[in-house]
Amino acid sequence: MFPKKKEHHKEEQNPATVEQPKEPLSKEKKPAEELQKQIESLKKEKDDIFAKLQRVAADYDNYQKRSARQLSDGINYEKDKIIKAILPVLDNFEYILANTSCGVQDEALLKGVKIVYDQFLGVLKNQGVEQIQSAGEKFNPSIHEAITQRAQEDKDDGVVLEELQKGYILNERVIRASRVVVNKLVAKNVEQSPPAGPQPQQNPEEEETKDTQ
């Protein structure tokens, strides 16, 4: 008879009491760090896109302003050219009205010319054109061009005596200065009076000596 082998009973382990292996902390933190980096990257990308949009909007606004200014400058330039071409016609009207002497039969014709001239000025005034008033005004180099000088005692020095050619302003900007004659008074030499105060008296003995010589 062979001896019976001892049976070894394995202890049954309760799965609740068995410690599960813990994952390393680095594996738990890694997804959170990657997510934070992605958030920061997206935020930076958003800021870059927003800054680019701001620059594009500013460039477009500047382009609109520049285009409007260029258009306005171009219109003003062409308007200047047209008005400057018309000014000699106005000069001829003024010359005719100032120097034409006519009889009674031609008075109606001259009156008609004056009406046309006034209408001409009215149209230009609606476009911002005004005549420079010069006669009797103080000479101003910004709106006057001195052609010659003349001395007139009953007028102040530097006053415009005569307007040889009218000047014009377009929208407060001079497009042609007035050609004028300016009053220039010559300073008079004033005789010097003796100095005020008591005059030195001569010695009586000196006066007698002069008489006896």
Side-chain angles (χ1 to χ4, degrees):
M1 296 292 293
F2 294 100
K4 294 182 179 180
K5 293 182 180 180
K6 295 181 179 181
E7 294 181 357
H8 297 281
H9 298 282
K10 294 181 179 180
E11 296 182 357
E12 295 182 357
Q13 295 180 350
N14 188 358
T17 61
V18 178
E19 291 186 0
Q20 299 295 330
K22 295 182 179 180
E23 295 183 359
L25 293 177
S26 60
K27 291 184 178 181
E28 293 180 355
K29 290 182 178 180
K30 190 173 182 181
E33 291 177 355
E34 290 180 353
L35 184 60
Q36 183 65 28
K37 289 180 179 180
Q38 290 179 356
I39 292 173
E40 292 177 356
S41 176
L42 291 173
K43 184 178 178 181
K44 185 176 182 299
E45 185 177 355
K46 184 263 294 181
D47 293 339
D48 292 341
I49 293 173
F50 184 72
K52 289 179 180 178
L53 288 175
Q54 282 185 321
R55 287 195 294 270
V56 170
D59 291 341
Y60 181 70
D61 185 57
N62 292 333
Y63 168 76
Q64 285 185 316
K65 292 178 180 178
R66 185 169 59 252
S67 298
R69 185 169 57 252
Q70 289 175 347
L71 179 61
S72 177
D73 292 344
I75 293 173
N76 290 333
Y77 176 75
E78 294 300 327
K79 184 184 287 188
D80 284 1
K81 285 177 60 178
I82 294 172
I83 292 174
K84 287 179 180 178
I86 291 174
L87 293 185
V89 180
L90 287 176
D91 295 338
N92 292 333
F93 269 108
E94 292 166 5
Y95 180 82
I96 291 171
L97 293 172
N99 297 281
T100 300
S101 58
C102 57
V104 178
Q105 66 275 14
D106 295 328
E107 186 176 351
L109 178 60
L110 192 61
K111 187 176 180 180
V113 173
K114 180 67 166 60
I115 292 173
V116 175
Y117 172 72
D118 291 339
Q119 288 178 340
F120 212 153
L121 289 179
V123 172
L124 291 178
K125 188 173 183 180
N126 291 334
Q127 298 300 319
V129 180
E130 295 183 1
Q131 290 182 331
I132 298 174
Q133 302 301 322
S134 300
E137 300 292 331
K138 190 74 174 177
F139 177 78
N140 184 352
S142 62
I143 59 175
H144 297 145
E145 179 184 354
I147 302 301
T148 185
Q149 296 177 344
R150 193 167 64 220
Q152 191 168 328
E153 297 294 336
D154 58 340
K155 301 290 183 181
D156 293 335
D157 186 60
V159 169
V160 175
L161 297 177
E162 184 181 354
E163 187 178 53
L164 302 178
Q165 186 183 59
K166 282 190 176 296
Y168 291 87
I169 294 176
L170 173 61
N171 296 327
E172 300 182 356
R173 181 168 49 85
V174 177
I175 58 176
R176 191 178 80 178
S178 298
R179 294 184 174 183
V180 297
V181 178
V182 183
N183 193 30
K184 183 66 175 178
L185 298 179
V186 180
K188 295 181 179 179
N189 294 326
V190 181
E191 295 182 357
Q192 294 183 353
S193 58
Q199 299 296 323
Q201 296 181 356
Q202 291 183 346
N203 192 341
E205 295 181 355
E206 294 180 356
E207 291 182 357
E208 292 179 359
T209 306
K210 289 180 180 179
D211 295 337
T212 55
Q213 288 179 354

